[in-house]
Amino acid sequence: MGRPPCCDKEGIKKGPWTPEEDIILVSYIQEHGPGNWRSVPINTGLMRCSKSCRLRWTNYLRPGIKRGNFTAHEEGMIVHLQSLLGNRWAAIASYLPQRTDNDIKNYWNTHLKKKLAVANSTNSISSANNRHPIFATGSSNNQPEITQMAAIARRSPFADCPSSSYASSMDNISKLLDGFMKTTSPSPPPPPLQHYDVGYDDVKPAVENPLMSFDCMSGTGGGEMDCFDVYHHHQHQPASSFMDQYGGYGGYGEESKQMMNHQAPPLSSIEKWLFDEAAAEQVADLMDLSDGCCSVPMMF
DNA sequence: AACAGGTACAACCGCGAGAGG
DNA sequence: TCCTCTCGCGGTTGTACCTGT
């Protein structure tokens, strides 16, 4: 007997989500937290399948998501990471905590693939890529490295930190509710959202870890120490001390820290490469073209 | 103004992995 | 060890919007 289809039941609604549905979903998650998606449609009365609820939350409603145009910096990172990891969008997204894997995937398919095709035809990108051995050898010839990097990506603090992500989420929800209130009036006020003092246009990164966030590579932040300084400052320190100092790990517990201590080098090869001169050079070039909006005020 | 083609992105589908019984 | 359930991921589709003719 095969697996029963998830969403082919009678009465399961498909298609775009309405603001009302969003409100219901957000309210429920605000109260119960994300997870246990099976129970979400049951408890909320939403005529959606659990998968649809999860997708809506993770790709649209989840707090800390940055919407709008990708910066040149983000583009560069996606291109780098895609070259290394292939179409492992979730792994790539873990390095861009403000972007969803769906966003990155869409952006890759609609923009970057085309751009790269054009660039490759003029050899402009390929020459840059070939500066680095990883590009020169091709991802398929570095399977162990890729595997390691994928594992690292999964272990990254951004990979899965529901608690911290959820805890900082209310700006998105506030946005949603705000937008909803603007477009539907009069209507009963939504449940009060607490713990959110962030303005509508002031989306904070879901995770504030300066090393793991490539946003810091922009170097345009107003901090006392730019990201490369941070990197150089910490690259010889054990991962644990760095993570402890900068409050990494998101929702990871002590056990995870220990795991990191045992399994992860202070700086993985992918991270080294991404901070490497070639990448830095390329990204720095892109930085010059950036509008600066990718620079996120960091905690240092 | 109307239409066609292109683009962007939200959402869906199917599969695999992992957890738990 | 096997089976079922649940979740997450990557590929794909549908559709609203944009742009050019």
Side-chain angles (χ1 to χ4, degrees):
Chain A
M1 195 172 79
R3 174 200 303 265
C6 164
C7 301
D8 67 347
K9 291 184 202 159
E10 284 285 325
I12 294 296
K13 187 179 171 190
K14 293 182 182 180
W17 280 66
T18 65
E20 289 85 352
E21 289 175 312
D22 284 344
I23 295 290
I24 292 169
L25 179 59
V26 164
S27 298
Y28 180 83
I29 292 176
Q30 184 194 6
E31 191 175 344
H32 299 92
N36 195 12
W37 295 107
R38 193 74 172 178
S39 68
V40 172
I42 297 169
N43 293 339
T44 60
L46 283 169
M47 304 304 284
R48 297 278 182 172
C49 71
S50 57
K51 188 184 278 191
S52 183
C53 293
R54 181 175 57 79
L55 263 293
R56 182 63 179 171
W57 172 257
T58 56
N59 288 336
Y60 198 85
L61 300 175
R62 183 165 57 92
I65 292 176
K66 183 166 126 188
R67 312 205 68 81
N69 293 339
F70 280 67
T71 65
H73 171 229
E74 288 171 318
E75 271 191 26
M77 283 168 45
I78 293 168
V79 170
H80 277 310
L81 290 166
Q82 204 278 342
S83 300
L84 285 168
L85 301 173
N87 294 355
R88 296 168 189 242
W89 306 116
I92 293 171
S94 72
Y95 284 90
L96 288 156
Q98 293 178 279
R99 301 291 188 179
T100 69
D101 56 347
N102 206 39
D103 264 350
I104 293 170
K105 179 172 58 181
N106 282 333
Y107 191 69
W108 173 264
N109 287 330
T110 56
H111 294 84
L112 295 181
K113 243 190 336 194
K114 226 170 295 176
K115 272 191 185 180
L116 281 183
V118 171
N120 281 331
S121 71
T122 60
N123 285 332
S124 61
I125 290 295
S126 60
S127 63
N129 289 349
N130 287 338
R131 282 184 297 179
H132 198 282
I134 290 176
F135 282 114
T137 54
S139 57
S140 60
N141 294 335
N142 289 283
Q143 203 54 47
E145 175 122 359
I146 297 302
T147 303
Q148 182 198 1
M149 289 184 294
I152 288 160
R154 281 192 291 273
R155 286 202 304 269
S156 96
F158 302 141
D160 184 24
C161 45
S163 59
S164 63
S165 151
Y166 179 65
S168 65
S169 81
M170 294 302 148
D171 51 306
N172 256 26
I173 298 168
S174 296
K175 288 180 186 180
L176 168 69
L177 294 174
D178 188 31
F180 178 64
M181 294 303 289
K182 281 175 187 168
T183 56
T184 61
S185 65
S187 66
L193 295 173
Q194 298 170 349
H195 317 304
Y196 295 96
D197 52 358
V198 183
Y200 206 105
D201 295 318
D202 189 20
V203 178
K204 288 195 290 188
V207 181
E208 297 178 342
N209 183 321
L211 175 63
M212 300 307 292
S213 170
F214 287 97
D215 276 340
C216 73
M217 289 177 70
S218 73
T220 54
E224 293 176 355
M225 181 190 290
D226 71 22
C227 301
F228 289 106
D229 287 340
V230 170
Y231 162 62
H232 289 306
H233 185 66
H234 289 285
Q235 61 179 331
H236 299 302
Q237 296 187 10
S240 58
S241 64
F242 178 85
M243 291 307 207
D244 288 344
Q245 180 169 352
Y246 285 96
Y249 292 105
Y252 282 56
E254 196 60 38
E255 189 180 338
S256 300
K257 290 187 184 181
Q258 288 169 2
M259 184 190 76
M260 292 283 285
N261 267 340
H262 282 95
Q263 297 185 3
L267 211 57
S268 70
S269 52
I270 185 175
E271 287 154 358
K272 281 180 182 170
W273 172 68
L274 281 161
F275 284 110
D276 178 354
E277 48 85 19
E281 206 177 307
Q282 198 171 350
V283 171
D285 290 341
L286 292 169
M287 286 305 97
D288 295 335
L289 303 172
S290 162
D291 57 9
C293 64
C294 62
S295 67
V296 177
M298 289 303 171
M299 51 196 294
F300 46 90

